[in-house]
Amino acid sequence: MFQKINNIKGYLKIGIIANGFFILFIIVCMVYYSIYLKTEIQSNLVEGIAYGLEAIGFILMAVYIVGFVGKLKDRNLLKGALIVYFITELCIILMDFNFLDIEDAYNPSSKILIISHSIFSGLVLFSHITFDSKQISLQIATAVGTVISLCGVFCVAYGTRVYISILINAIAYVIYYSWVLYLIKTERVYIDCYGDVIEDIHYSSKDFFE
């Protein structure tokens, strides 16, 4: 089982699932709190489900980032960016849901926070171009993913909280990682990793005349 996922395609799939859980988590929270504001009805069950989705998302996120760090050759910029990204997202979620008691210093609706988060997230996604920076197909995929991530900037116009930016960013990663998987499967992109088996092909003079 471990051998089936311990490769770049396996970790990309885990990344898609992880961001899928973040999307579900934020949608559940949005629906729940919109109902709560109107009715003031509190549900421990819904809150438990939401936090469970969040926890699973972060666990899977940690798994695929550790997988990237362990499997990818070189690409220190991408590895470092993903580690910082994980810590940043974790801190924002913990602050937004008051798990960290710093209410005086944290404003989830801050325009500066939302814009900074969107730009930072876009730059982290753009660092994935080091997967195979010479391939036009990957350049296009990375550009599209980065633009989607940067769309979180427009949240400031609607006075939303920062987790809407996180939602947009999670959608960007689902699209981007799915696209990269497609490029790998169609052999348009090759991402060299530790443990790859390179087929050694030997030709004889006869091969050129058959």
Side-chain angles (χ1 to χ4, degrees):
M1 179 64 179
F2 177 71
Q3 293 300 324
K4 290 183 179 180
I5 64 172
N6 188 29
N7 53 69
I8 190 63
K9 291 192 288 186
Y11 291 122
L12 284 169
K13 291 175 183 177
I14 294 173
I16 293 169
I17 296 171
N19 283 283
F21 271 100
F22 287 132
I23 293 170
L24 289 174
F25 161 65
I26 295 174
I27 290 175
V28 169
C29 288
M30 290 171 60
V31 173
Y32 171 62
Y33 285 115
S34 65
I35 295 174
Y36 174 76
L37 290 173
K38 294 178 181 178
T39 64
E40 296 188 358
I41 297 175
Q42 187 172 357
S43 172
N44 293 329
L45 175 62
V46 175
E47 290 183 359
I49 292 172
Y51 294 142
L53 292 171
E54 176 191 27
I56 294 171
F58 273 109
I59 291 170
L60 293 176
M61 185 180 181
V63 169
Y64 88 78
I65 290 176
V66 170
F68 279 2
V69 171
K71 292 296 292 184
L72 292 173
K73 292 183 179 179
D74 302 320
R75 300 178 178 87
N76 293 325
L77 175 63
L78 172 59
K79 295 175 181 179
L82 283 173
I83 292 171
V84 175
Y85 173 72
F86 175 82
I87 295 171
T88 302
E89 296 297 286
L90 180 60
C91 289
I92 288 176
I93 289 294
L94 292 176
M95 290 186 292
D96 200 58
F97 290 93
N98 299 319
F99 287 115
L100 295 178
D101 188 16
I102 53 172
E103 294 183 8
D104 295 335
Y106 175 73
N107 178 8
S109 300
S110 168
K111 292 182 179 179
I112 295 176
L113 174 63
I114 294 171
I115 293 172
S116 299
H117 176 267
S118 297
I119 294 174
F120 168 71
S121 300
L123 290 173
V124 173
L125 196 150
F126 184 75
S127 69
H128 286 72
I129 199 170
T130 58
F131 274 156
D132 195 349
S133 59
K134 295 181 180 180
Q135 292 297 326
I136 298 296
S137 53
L138 185 73
Q139 293 174 7
I140 294 172
T142 305
V144 172
T146 301
V147 169
I148 295 172
S149 184
L150 290 173
C151 285
V153 170
F154 297 108
C155 293
V156 298
Y158 300 96
T160 60
R161 297 165 70 94
V162 70
Y163 66 75
I164 302 300
S165 174
I166 296 174
L167 172 63
I168 293 172
N169 196 49
I171 293 172
Y173 272 96
V174 169
I175 294 172
Y176 180 68
Y177 283 161
S178 299
W179 197 334
V180 173
L181 265 177
Y182 169 75
L183 294 176
I184 293 174
K185 289 178 180 179
T186 56
E187 299 183 349
R188 299 184 186 184
V189 167
Y190 171 69
I191 303 174
D192 55 322
C193 299
Y194 293 110
D196 284 352
V197 177
I198 301 175
E199 185 178 356
D200 187 15
I201 302 175
H202 296 279
Y203 295 99
S204 68
S205 59
K206 295 181 181 179
D207 297 324
F208 295 97
F209 296 100
E210 290 181 352

